[in-house]
Amino acid sequence: MSKAPFKIRSLDHIVLRVRDRDRMVRFYCAILGCTMEREQAEIGLTQVRAGQSLIDLVPVDGKLGRIGGAAPGKEGRNLDHFCITLDGYDEAKIRAYLTAQGVEIGEAGSRYGAEGEGPSLYVSDPEGNIVELKGPPWKT
Protein backbone atom coordinates (compact mmCIF):
# COMPACT_ATOMS: atom_id res chain seq x y z
CA MET A 1 0.00 0.00 0.00
CA SER A 2 1.34 3.41 -0.98
CA LYS A 3 2.18 5.97 1.68
CA ALA A 4 2.17 8.79 -0.84
CA PRO A 5 1.25 12.23 0.53
CA PHE A 6 -1.36 12.64 -2.23
CA LYS A 7 -4.26 10.78 -3.85
CA ILE A 8 -4.68 10.22 -7.59
CA ARG A 9 -8.02 11.64 -8.71
CA SER A 10 -8.07 11.18 -12.51
CA LEU A 11 -6.26 11.22 -15.82
CA ASP A 12 -5.97 14.91 -16.76
CA HIS A 13 -4.55 14.77 -20.28
CA ILE A 14 -2.47 12.80 -22.73
CA VAL A 15 -0.06 14.35 -25.24
CA LEU A 16 0.19 12.77 -28.70
CA ARG A 17 2.96 13.66 -31.13
CA VAL A 18 1.36 13.87 -34.59
CA ARG A 19 2.45 14.20 -38.22
CA ASP A 20 -0.81 15.67 -39.57
CA ARG A 21 -2.48 17.96 -37.03
CA ASP A 22 -5.51 18.79 -39.18
CA ARG A 23 -6.27 15.14 -39.87
CA MET A 24 -5.97 14.33 -36.17
CA VAL A 25 -8.25 17.24 -35.18
CA ARG A 26 -10.86 16.03 -37.70
CA PHE A 27 -10.62 12.49 -36.31
CA TYR A 28 -10.94 13.45 -32.66
CA CYS A 29 -13.55 16.19 -33.16
CA ALA A 30 -15.63 15.24 -36.22
CA ILE A 31 -15.52 11.48 -35.75
CA LEU A 32 -15.13 10.89 -32.01
CA GLY A 33 -17.01 13.98 -30.83
CA CYS A 34 -14.29 15.86 -28.95
CA THR A 35 -14.50 19.64 -28.93
CA MET A 36 -11.78 22.19 -29.61
CA GLU A 37 -10.43 23.50 -26.29
CA ARG A 38 -7.66 25.89 -27.35
CA GLU A 39 -4.68 26.29 -29.63
CA GLN A 40 -1.24 27.69 -28.96
CA ALA A 41 0.20 27.95 -32.47
CA GLU A 42 3.38 29.68 -31.27
CA ILE A 43 4.53 26.52 -29.49
CA GLY A 44 2.74 23.96 -31.68
CA LEU A 45 -0.03 22.74 -29.38
CA THR A 46 -3.69 21.99 -30.09
CA GLN A 47 -5.90 20.80 -27.24
CA VAL A 48 -9.22 19.00 -27.72
CA ARG A 49 -11.60 18.16 -24.89
CA ALA A 50 -12.56 14.53 -24.35
CA GLY A 51 -15.18 14.65 -21.59
CA GLN A 52 -13.42 15.80 -18.43
CA SER A 53 -9.96 15.22 -19.93
CA LEU A 54 -7.84 16.75 -22.70
CA ILE A 55 -6.00 15.25 -25.65
CA ASP A 56 -3.07 17.46 -26.64
CA LEU A 57 -1.93 17.20 -30.26
CA VAL A 58 1.67 18.27 -30.84
CA PRO A 59 2.86 18.35 -34.47
CA VAL A 60 6.34 16.80 -34.70
CA ASP A 61 7.58 19.72 -36.80
CA GLY A 62 6.50 22.38 -34.27
CA LYS A 63 8.43 23.91 -31.37
CA LEU A 64 7.26 21.30 -28.82
CA GLY A 65 7.22 18.42 -31.29
CA ARG A 66 10.86 18.79 -32.35
CA ILE A 67 11.91 18.19 -28.73
CA GLY A 68 10.52 14.63 -28.85
CA GLY A 69 12.72 13.32 -31.68
CA ALA A 70 11.58 11.28 -34.68
CA ALA A 71 7.99 11.30 -35.93
CA PRO A 72 5.59 8.61 -34.64
CA GLY A 73 6.24 5.21 -36.17
CA LYS A 74 8.19 2.03 -35.50
CA GLU A 75 11.27 3.99 -34.41
CA GLY A 76 9.69 7.17 -33.04
CA ARG A 77 7.72 7.93 -29.90
CA ASN A 78 4.09 8.89 -30.28
CA LEU A 79 3.36 9.55 -26.62
CA ASP A 80 5.05 12.62 -25.20
CA HIS A 81 3.68 12.25 -21.66
CA PHE A 82 0.49 11.63 -19.75
CA CYS A 83 -0.85 13.59 -16.82
CA ILE A 84 -2.47 12.46 -13.58
CA THR A 85 -4.49 14.89 -11.46
CA LEU A 86 -3.71 14.71 -7.75
CA ASP A 87 -5.62 15.63 -4.63
CA GLY A 88 -3.34 16.92 -1.88
CA TYR A 89 -0.80 18.59 -4.16
CA ASP A 90 2.08 19.87 -2.03
CA GLU A 91 5.19 20.09 -4.19
CA ALA A 92 7.67 19.93 -1.29
CA LYS A 93 6.05 16.81 0.19
CA ILE A 94 5.72 15.19 -3.24
CA ARG A 95 9.39 15.87 -4.04
CA ALA A 96 10.53 14.49 -0.68
CA TYR A 97 8.43 11.35 -1.07
CA LEU A 98 9.51 10.69 -4.67
CA THR A 99 13.17 11.35 -3.91
CA ALA A 100 13.01 8.82 -1.07
CA GLN A 101 11.53 6.31 -3.53
CA GLY A 102 14.37 6.87 -6.03
CA VAL A 103 12.11 8.46 -8.64
CA GLU A 104 13.72 10.71 -11.27
CA ILE A 105 12.14 14.15 -10.89
CA GLY A 106 12.01 16.61 -13.77
CA GLU A 107 10.82 20.15 -14.28
CA ALA A 108 8.11 21.77 -12.17
CA GLY A 109 5.99 24.67 -13.37
CA SER A 110 2.58 26.13 -14.02
CA ARG A 111 0.79 24.32 -16.85
CA TYR A 112 -2.64 24.25 -18.42
CA GLY A 113 -4.67 21.07 -17.97
CA ALA A 114 -8.26 19.88 -18.22
CA GLU A 115 -9.27 21.95 -15.17
CA GLY A 116 -7.21 25.05 -16.04
CA GLU A 117 -3.79 26.49 -15.23
CA GLY A 118 -2.08 25.11 -12.15
CA PRO A 119 1.06 23.57 -10.65
CA SER A 120 2.61 20.41 -12.04
CA LEU A 121 5.72 18.30 -11.76
CA TYR A 122 7.23 15.92 -14.32
CA VAL A 123 8.62 12.55 -13.23
CA SER A 124 9.97 9.54 -15.14
CA ASP A 125 8.70 6.01 -14.66
CA PRO A 126 11.19 3.10 -14.56
CA GLU A 127 11.06 2.70 -18.37
CA GLY A 128 11.53 6.38 -19.16
CA ASN A 129 7.90 7.38 -19.76
CA ILE A 130 7.17 10.92 -18.62
CA VAL A 131 4.32 11.32 -16.13
CA GLU A 132 3.03 14.78 -15.21
CA LEU A 133 1.64 15.07 -11.68
CA LYS A 134 -0.90 17.92 -11.73
CA GLY A 135 -2.32 19.95 -8.88
CA PRO A 136 -5.57 21.91 -8.81
CA PRO A 137 -6.00 25.07 -10.89
CA TRP A 138 -4.79 28.33 -9.40
CA LYS A 139 -7.48 30.31 -7.60
CA THR A 140 -8.40 33.41 -9.59
Side-chain angles (χ1 to χ4, degrees):
M1 189 72 158
S2 173
K3 295 180 184 178
F6 52 82
K7 178 183 173 197
I8 292 176
R9 183 166 25 101
S10 65
L11 183 66
D12 184 89
H13 66 272
I14 190 165
V15 180
L16 297 176
R17 300 180 69 249
V18 303
R19 287 183 273 203
D20 187 336
R21 176 220 168 266
D22 294 339
R23 186 174 179 204
M24 294 293 276
V25 168
R26 280 192 303 277
F27 173 78
Y28 283 102
C29 292
I31 296 173
L32 295 186
C34 293
T35 57
M36 183 62 73
E37 176 79 7
R38 71 182 192 152
E39 186 162 0
Q40 293 181 278
E42 66 280 1
I43 61 171
L45 172 66
T46 300
Q47 294 176 301
V48 298
R49 183 158 292 279
Q52 295 180 357
S53 302
L54 293 175
I55 299 171
D56 293 358
L57 304 173
V58 176
V60 295
D61 59 354
K63 183 176 181 177
L64 289 178
R66 286 189 299 272
I67 296 170
K74 289 183 180 181
E75 300 301 320
R77 295 182 320 156
N78 186 40
L79 178 68
D80 181 82
H81 72 275
F82 67 95
C83 179
I84 298 171
T85 303
L86 305 179
D87 284 330
Y89 189 95
D90 179 320
E91 186 178 328
K93 287 181 181 178
I94 292 169
R95 280 183 178 277
Y97 171 74
L98 295 174
T99 298
Q101 302 302 314
V103 174
E104 181 182 335
I105 301 172
E107 180 183 333
S110 180
R111 296 180 182 89
Y112 188 83
E115 297 177 349
E117 187 81 22
S120 78
L121 179 66
Y122 287 131
V123 300
S124 294
D125 75 12
E127 294 195 3
N129 295 300
I130 305 299
V131 181
E132 181 180 350
L133 304 176
K134 183 97 171 62
W138 303 117
K139 302 222 187 276
T140 55

